Amino acid sequence: MASFSIEDFVGDGVLKELIPKLLEEGWDDVPTLKIMNPEDMDAINMTQHQKDALEIRTYLHDRALMQYGDKLEASRKSLPELLNLSTEDLSSQFGMRRGHIARFTDRNNKCTDPLPKSYGLPARKLTATPSRSNTIYKMQTIRKSFCRSSTNNDRSLEESLADFKIKDGYIFKGIVAAGPAEPRACGCIQPPPVVDNVAPYSAIENISVQRLTPEYKIAMERLVKTKTPPMKASELWRDKPAVLLCIRRPGAEAHQLYAKKPIFDALGIQMFAVLHEHIESEIKDFWPRYWGGVVVFDRTMGFFKALGGGKLLKDKFLSGFVFNPRAIANYKRAKSMGIEQNFKGEGEIKGGLFIVGPGGTGIAYQFIERNFGDWAPVAEVVEICARLKNQQQDEGDTSRSPQEHK
């Protein structure tokens, strides 16, 4: 799976010399850099070779083929020209393996889950404003697109959010989601039960957490050098809503969610990865390669207990994986996407995801990893966050005086 390190993304090609300019203009993480458009490139005076290189590397990053970035870029061919090369030319000129050639030439097959078409970014008008302003405009247009969008293809989600209203003293009713519970070993083994109700806010607000990494930016240190003191989890979402990805083992599943960082940024949503083990070598492999956001250590496994209704949700390798067709399907899906599996550390404790509103407003959404490898649907997470942002804006509008609306 492709790395979220800017240095790994630009490689040793012509984009490397642009790193100081990218940092200055706010293009300081890979997901944001990948949504650059032609006028953004012109605003920082990118050459045609640099534009072609960015297009090539974005395409390769989506398909977990970054190992070919330097060679393809050095050919000085554009992406359309490269895609029109024969299998023999791709193999002989760039040393591309046959399986990788199939992935490269399939223009519709990405290793990251695409958002539905309804989440497409709005068309933008040409502007002569500087790149940093373009970035701000980009975030604003994404925010407007998502916050005011409505979907008709998921009535149950719409109905579940009918009471989702933010105001002082209100606690979200929330939504609980989980993967299907399929029979194991011909029905001889029953899957462990999962909770039907969202965890009470009191179950997570006082959890003791410790920051292990900052949010990744260009050329920063790989890990926090000084040990940060423990803090209450509620400090994480005191001012802004947050997505907390509770990870069974740090690995590439987080890649799917972090790839949508520009959208979460536009919606004003923070992103945290929550670990229940502190193994420094694992964190170095995980951040920022698979996750460029803040990583926190759940010292008492409080979030993981909250996902299980007060106790850890666990499963054995034999019953939870070998005899579980859903878990095997998840493994094959991850493998087909080029995701490397992490088998180090404790692997029986299930993870999941929380979306928490700002302050003490409560838990908006809770996803439970019922089967090993279950991921919260990214489109669903984005939809919940968009509606959360929309409700915040509506509440802000109603609290303004008539003079402020003028």
Side-chain angles (χ1 to χ4, degrees), residues 184-185 189 315-325 327-328 347-348 372:
R184 303 179 184 182
I189 300 176
D315 220 339
K316 298 293 185 182
F317 176 76
L318 191 63
S319 60
F321 181 76
V322 176
F323 294 137
N324 185 353
I328 293 174
E348 294 182 354
F372 288 137

Side-chain angles (χ1 to χ4, degrees), residues 240-261:
K240 296 171 62 177
V243 170
L244 297 109
L245 179 62
C246 303
I247 304 173
R248 179 167 50 89
R249 281 178 173 147
E253 293 89 344
H255 194 283
Q256 302 295 313
L257 189 65
Y258 189 75
K260 306 300 184 292
K261 180 181 181 291

